């Protein structure tokens, strides 16, 4: 998947859930940035590198696996497949929202 497809996939999953209430940045090492501004209604998605409450560092392959339910978020964090900075509580909210 390319950055635009990943952004649209995250955006569609977000639309299926309650508002997040936070700003989360996905730093996709091999593609770029996806910024999810869940403080706005409806949420705003962009590929701008701006401040966020939490940042998730991940490869596109691992993000796709997380989104498809083929990689457990807790296991991914514990094994270093995803890196989290900022609020870990915000990222924990994401795990249920992003799984299919």
């Amino acid at each position: 998947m390319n950055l635009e497809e990943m952004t649209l996939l995250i955006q569609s999953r977000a639309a299926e859930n309650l508002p997040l209430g936070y700003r989360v940045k996905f730093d996709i090492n091999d593609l770029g940035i996806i910024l999810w501004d869940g403080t706005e209604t409806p949420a705003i998605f962009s590929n701008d590198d701006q401040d966020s409450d939490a940042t998730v560092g991940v490869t596109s392959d691992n993000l796709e696996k997380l989104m498809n339910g083929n990689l457990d978020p807790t296991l991914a964090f514990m094994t270093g497949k995803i890196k989290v900075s900022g609020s870990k509580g915000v990222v924990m909210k994401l795990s249920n929202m992003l799984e299919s």
Side-chain angles (χ1 to χ4, degrees):
M1 273 187 192
N2 63 34
L3 186 60
E4 183 179 342
E5 292 169 328
M6 286 281 190
T7 304
L8 290 173
L9 180 58
I10 290 174
Q11 187 173 4
S12 70
R13 294 285 171 79
E16 298 170 359
N17 292 278
L18 295 172
L20 182 61
Y22 299 95
R23 292 170 51 99
V24 177
K25 179 172 33 179
F26 293 88
D27 184 356
I28 307 168
N29 309 86
D30 49 339
L31 290 180
I33 300 290
I34 298 173
L35 181 69
W36 174 355
D37 187 349
T39 64
E40 301 290 330
T41 303
I44 297 172
F45 293 83
S46 73
N47 300 114
D48 300 329
D49 189 1
Q50 298 179 13
D51 290 337
S52 62
D53 297 299
T55 300
V56 178
V58 63
T59 64
S60 60
D61 185 48
N62 284 332
L63 181 57
E64 192 170 350
K65 287 177 184 176
L66 285 167
M67 301 285 291
N68 292 328
N70 295 326
L71 180 61
D72 178 80
T74 304
L75 181 62
F77 176 74
M78 299 300 285
T79 58
K81 292 184 178 182
I82 62 172
K83 307 278 187 208
V84 175
S85 61
S87 175
K88 306 235 184 334
V90 171
V91 174
M92 290 187 67
K93 282 184 161 187
L94 288 177
S95 66
N96 291 332
M97 294 177 79
L98 294 179
E99 291 176 346
S100 57

